Amino acid sequence: MTALTLSTSSAATLRADAVVIGVAKGPKGLVVAPGAEAVDQAFDGRLAAVVETLGGSGGEGEVTKLPAPSGFKAPVVLAVGLGDLPAEGDAFDEETLRRAAGVAARALAGSKKAAFALPVEDAESAAAIGEGAVLGAYSFTAYRGGKDEKPAKNAPLAEAAILGGKPRDKAFKAAVERATAVAAEVNRARDLVNMSPNDLNPKSFAAQAQAAGKEFGLKVEVLDEKALLKGGFGGLMGVGQGSVNPPRLVRVAYTHPKAEKTLALVGKGITYDSGGISLKPAGHNETMKCDMAGAAAVLGAVLAVARLGLKVNVTGWLALAENMPSGNATRPGDVLRMYSGTTVEVLNTDAEGRLVLADALTRASEENPDAIVDVATLTGAMVVALGDRTFGVMANDDAFRTSLYEIAEEVGEQAWPMPLPVELRKSMDSPVADMANIGERMGGGLVAGVFLKEFVGEGIAWAHLDIAGPAFHEKAPFGYTPKGGTGSSVRTLVRLAERTADGDLG
Ligand code: BES
Ligand code: MN
Ligand code: ZN
């Protein structure tokens, strides 16, 4: 992973492969952003003109490479577009810096060290640059190179030195340490999503949680298929029974001796979703290794909280199963007795996420946490509603939903509040069981949320993040978002834990 450092060196004297500067769209054309003054001086104040002549406009995501001026240790200057210049007196916002640093870091794959001379206002902006660099440099190479060594040519940028900050200042140090921990866990979640489903199954996922938990001092408990059967986890067992890879429920607990609040995070962990007997058609199953992205985000978030030593208890629940068709699979028409005791008629085996989550929500509720957040690639309907970059936020508590939506925006994740209309519940009435696992097609993302709500313990604040859109990125990379697993919602969950630790949430 890309190492982050704060440096007091100037852009001219730092030994690096490239100096990254920012350029923006001003009212009269391209302007050089703050932080690059020394570079501009070395160009006799003509840097903006040079970048513009090379075709630059300052637009977001744009990269212009030019030879560094003589006297510079670094051979190359990389100008990254920041978009529109903020209004007089305003600074560039954190997400703009995060994305620009990500674009630059990705463009510098194959380099060892880059100096980031982007606008640093305070510790937070320095951290945003660092976080963007680590996230943008990410690449998944586990399966590249066959039996040979990994190709070194386009290895991720090894070190990002952030210029313009105060390396000896406590706030700067802490902010960069935080960025390192959080970005590492976002990247872990991405790795888990990108692993092929023949490598990552419920058992191997649980083993990874155990190993990582041990490294950071967490308590990890795994219920295997025998324990799940004995415990009455009918949702997890029903979804997992068609696969040769049996289900698991993993509990990953971080505790702080002075914590006043406990958060429970529940993740959908379908390591592959074929749809089961209600098999998905070709064109709909090629990316379904991503269906454990919720569980990956929950694991990453709990580990990040542990690395940061936050004063809050956080329990992660990973509901792991593989949804496959077989002679042993749940049939459409089967009735499952869930962990809560509720019976559910499975009318569509492709609506499996809500079944495994229901059991995990009931189990999490037994410990009476102050709040529960579940994260799931739950419905195609949410992708239709919000597109592929925005996750939906539903909740049984309006204030909690608003908090989560605001927190997401604060950390640079796109989210939008969605309702849980009570009238949708009756569309899930079953003629034989307490309820069915599907209901009305319209508002399908909300129907799924209404289903989940039934399994949350009385009086517990609960929110549901449907990350089906942003969890897996199929288009060209942008900002710090690569192709494939994105680590969606890890940063939101970590900030929620920080806010809870600070006593900012009810
Ligand atoms: N894992 C899918 C949802 C999904 C779709 C995730 C696209 C990521 C991208 C989920 O298990 C599913 O199949 N949902 C069904 C529910 C339906 C049968 C009620 C869907 O959305 O079609
Ligand atoms: Mn499904
Ligand atoms: Zn699914």
Side-chain angles (χ1 to χ4, degrees), residues 6 123 127 169-180 308:
L6 284 159
D169 182 303
K170 259 194 194 162
F172 275 85
K173 270 197 223 168
V176 170
E177 270 171 35
R178 178 191 183 279
T180 301
L308 299 173

mmCIF file of all heavy atoms in Angstrom, residues 6 123 127 169-180 308:
data_model
loop_
_atom_site.group_PDB
_atom_site.id
_atom_site.type_symbol
_atom_site.label_atom_id
_atom_site.label_comp_id
_atom_site.label_asym_id
_atom_site.label_seq_id
_atom_site.Cartn_x
_atom_site.Cartn_y
_atom_site.Cartn_z
ATOM 1 N N LEU A 6 4.266 13.331 5.619
ATOM 2 C CA LEU A 6 4.145 14.795 5.546
ATOM 3 C C LEU A 6 5.567 15.311 5.419
ATOM 4 O O LEU A 6 6.453 14.874 6.150
ATOM 5 C CB LEU A 6 3.509 15.333 6.825
ATOM 6 C CG LEU A 6 2.005 15.148 6.992
ATOM 7 C CD1 LEU A 6 1.612 15.257 8.459
ATOM 8 C CD2 LEU A 6 1.244 16.175 6.155
ATOM 9 N N ALA A 123 -5.230 20.392 8.518
ATOM 10 C CA ALA A 123 -4.940 18.961 8.649
ATOM 11 C C ALA A 123 -5.912 18.124 7.804
ATOM 12 O O ALA A 123 -5.522 17.121 7.204
ATOM 13 C CB ALA A 123 -5.039 18.543 10.120
ATOM 14 N N ALA A 127 -5.089 15.421 4.895
ATOM 15 C CA ALA A 127 -5.545 14.032 5.027
ATOM 16 C C ALA A 127 -6.363 13.606 3.806
ATOM 17 O O ALA A 127 -6.257 12.461 3.350
ATOM 18 C CB ALA A 127 -6.373 13.858 6.301
ATOM 19 N N ASP A 169 2.992 19.026 13.731
ATOM 20 C CA ASP A 169 1.730 19.406 14.368
ATOM 21 C C ASP A 169 0.883 18.151 14.639
ATOM 22 O O ASP A 169 0.688 17.314 13.764
ATOM 23 C CB ASP A 169 1.007 20.361 13.411
ATOM 24 C CG ASP A 169 -0.305 20.878 13.970
ATOM 25 O OD1 ASP A 169 -1.187 20.061 14.322
ATOM 26 O OD2 ASP A 169 -0.454 22.100 14.029
ATOM 27 N N LYS A 170 0.412 18.041 15.892
ATOM 28 C CA LYS A 170 -0.371 16.866 16.318
ATOM 29 C C LYS A 170 -1.574 16.593 15.416
ATOM 30 O O LYS A 170 -1.851 15.464 15.050
ATOM 31 C CB LYS A 170 -0.907 17.099 17.738
ATOM 32 C CG LYS A 170 -0.121 16.404 18.827
ATOM 33 C CD LYS A 170 -0.947 16.436 20.106
ATOM 34 C CE LYS A 170 -0.103 16.068 21.313
ATOM 35 N NZ LYS A 170 -0.743 16.505 22.567
ATOM 36 N N ALA A 171 -2.295 17.672 15.084
ATOM 37 C CA ALA A 171 -3.514 17.514 14.294
ATOM 38 C C ALA A 171 -3.188 16.954 12.909
ATOM 39 O O ALA A 171 -3.914 16.091 12.386
ATOM 40 C CB ALA A 171 -4.240 18.847 14.163
ATOM 41 N N PHE A 172 -2.101 17.432 12.304
ATOM 42 C CA PHE A 172 -1.700 16.927 10.985
ATOM 43 C C PHE A 172 -1.310 15.455 11.070
ATOM 44 O O PHE A 172 -1.725 14.643 10.246
ATOM 45 C CB PHE A 172 -0.528 17.754 10.433
ATOM 46 C CG PHE A 172 -0.978 18.999 9.717
ATOM 47 C CD1 PHE A 172 -1.236 20.173 10.421
ATOM 48 C CD2 PHE A 172 -1.156 18.997 8.342
ATOM 49 C CE1 PHE A 172 -1.662 21.319 9.769
ATOM 50 C CE2 PHE A 172 -1.573 20.137 7.673
ATOM 51 C CZ PHE A 172 -1.834 21.308 8.396
ATOM 52 N N LYS A 173 -0.500 15.140 12.095
ATOM 53 C CA LYS A 173 -0.046 13.751 12.248
ATOM 54 C C LYS A 173 -1.250 12.825 12.412
ATOM 55 O O LYS A 173 -1.349 11.777 11.772
ATOM 56 C CB LYS A 173 0.844 13.619 13.491
ATOM 57 C CG LYS A 173 2.305 13.842 13.211
ATOM 58 C CD LYS A 173 3.109 13.279 14.382
ATOM 59 C CE LYS A 173 4.206 14.239 14.755
ATOM 60 N NZ LYS A 173 4.858 13.949 16.008
ATOM 61 N N ALA A 174 -2.160 13.211 13.299
ATOM 62 C CA ALA A 174 -3.326 12.360 13.581
ATOM 63 C C ALA A 174 -4.192 12.204 12.331
ATOM 64 O O ALA A 174 -4.682 11.104 12.040
ATOM 65 C CB ALA A 174 -4.143 12.956 14.723
ATOM 66 N N ALA A 175 -4.376 13.292 11.596
ATOM 67 C CA ALA A 175 -5.245 13.232 10.416
ATOM 68 C C ALA A 175 -4.654 12.314 9.351
ATOM 69 O O ALA A 175 -5.377 11.564 8.685
ATOM 70 C CB ALA A 175 -5.479 14.634 9.862
ATOM 71 N N VAL A 176 -3.326 12.367 9.199
ATOM 72 C CA VAL A 176 -2.699 11.512 8.183
ATOM 73 C C VAL A 176 -2.683 10.054 8.641
ATOM 74 O O VAL A 176 -2.880 9.139 7.836
ATOM 75 C CB VAL A 176 -1.293 12.035 7.813
ATOM 76 C CG1 VAL A 176 -0.539 11.029 6.951
ATOM 77 C CG2 VAL A 176 -1.419 13.368 7.080
ATOM 78 N N GLU A 177 -2.492 9.832 9.943
ATOM 79 C CA GLU A 177 -2.571 8.456 10.463
ATOM 80 C C GLU A 177 -3.971 7.885 10.247
ATOM 81 O O GLU A 177 -4.137 6.721 9.879
ATOM 82 C CB GLU A 177 -2.245 8.423 11.963
ATOM 83 C CG GLU A 177 -0.765 8.229 12.242
ATOM 84 C CD GLU A 177 -0.426 8.422 13.714
ATOM 85 O OE1 GLU A 177 -1.264 8.057 14.575
ATOM 86 O OE2 GLU A 177 0.668 8.947 13.992
ATOM 87 N N ARG A 178 -4.964 8.715 10.497
ATOM 88 C CA ARG A 178 -6.348 8.275 10.279
ATOM 89 C C ARG A 178 -6.570 7.924 8.818
ATOM 90 O O ARG A 178 -7.144 6.877 8.498
ATOM 91 C CB ARG A 178 -7.327 9.381 10.706
ATOM 92 C CG ARG A 178 -8.774 9.007 10.470
ATOM 93 C CD ARG A 178 -9.719 10.184 10.632
ATOM 94 N NE ARG A 178 -11.107 9.766 10.467
ATOM 95 C CZ ARG A 178 -11.703 9.580 9.296
ATOM 96 N NH1 ARG A 178 -11.041 9.792 8.170
ATOM 97 N NH2 ARG A 178 -12.962 9.183 9.225
ATOM 98 N N ALA A 179 -6.104 8.798 7.926
ATOM 99 C CA ALA A 179 -6.287 8.547 6.487
ATOM 100 C C ALA A 179 -5.633 7.234 6.089
ATOM 101 O O ALA A 179 -6.195 6.455 5.299
ATOM 102 C CB ALA A 179 -5.695 9.702 5.676
ATOM 103 N N THR A 180 -4.459 6.951 6.648
ATOM 104 C CA THR A 180 -3.743 5.711 6.323
ATOM 105 C C THR A 180 -4.559 4.494 6.751
ATOM 106 O O THR A 180 -4.728 3.548 5.979
ATOM 107 C CB THR A 180 -2.367 5.694 7.034
ATOM 108 O OG1 THR A 180 -1.633 6.835 6.593
ATOM 109 C CG2 THR A 180 -1.587 4.435 6.718
ATOM 110 N N LEU A 308 -7.890 2.770 14.979
ATOM 111 C CA LEU A 308 -7.954 4.147 15.480
ATOM 112 C C LEU A 308 -8.184 4.186 16.986
ATOM 113 O O LEU A 308 -8.081 5.247 17.601
ATOM 114 C CB LEU A 308 -9.074 4.915 14.760
ATOM 115 C CG LEU A 308 -8.917 5.041 13.236
ATOM 116 C CD1 LEU A 308 -10.163 5.654 12.608
ATOM 117 C CD2 LEU A 308 -7.684 5.872 12.890
#
